[in-house]
Amino acid sequence: MGELAKLPNIGQTVEQQLNEAGITTRKQLEEIGSKKAWLLIQEIDESACIHRLLALEGAIRGIKKESPANRCQGRAERILQ
């Protein structure tokens, strides 16, 4: 388990996908942002759905995906803008 897998919502598979996309540290993930990281993962895994985007945003913010703070109506739409 690497540094990214220690963040909320990031398991081994997502960490591996982030690594393949060139993102290996929390700082890099924060700098690139959830939207761009998600788009890079989609290039690797077309099945990466909107839930992956919310998981990445939660990881950056330190909030579990299931948390009410990360489940706001329209959050994904705001991230994608």
Side-chain angles (χ1 to χ4, degrees):
M1 177 161 77
E3 175 182 343
L4 292 171
K6 295 176 185 172
L7 298 174
N9 314 317
I10 306 294
Q12 277 186 308
T13 301
V14 176
E15 180 179 47
Q16 182 179 7
Q17 290 172 336
L18 287 167
N19 290 170
E20 288 178 39
I23 303 166
T24 58
T25 67
R26 179 185 184 135
K27 183 177 180 182
Q28 288 174 320
L29 179 59
E30 289 171 349
E31 288 173 353
I32 199 165
S34 59
K35 178 182 175 181
K36 177 126 183 173
W38 178 65
L39 292 171
L40 290 169
I41 288 175
Q42 279 196 317
E43 291 177 14
I44 298 164
D45 178 4
E46 293 178 2
S47 73
C49 65
I50 204 77
H51 296 283
R52 181 92 31 102
L53 171 62
L54 292 173
L56 291 167
E57 180 67 15
I60 290 170
R61 298 173 69 217
I63 301 170
K64 288 193 178 265
K65 187 177 78 160
E66 300 82 23
S67 167
N70 202 37
R71 285 191 298 168
C72 295
Q73 181 70 22
R75 180 166 307 280
E77 289 83 6
R78 287 192 299 277
I79 295 168
L80 290 172
Q81 291 179 350

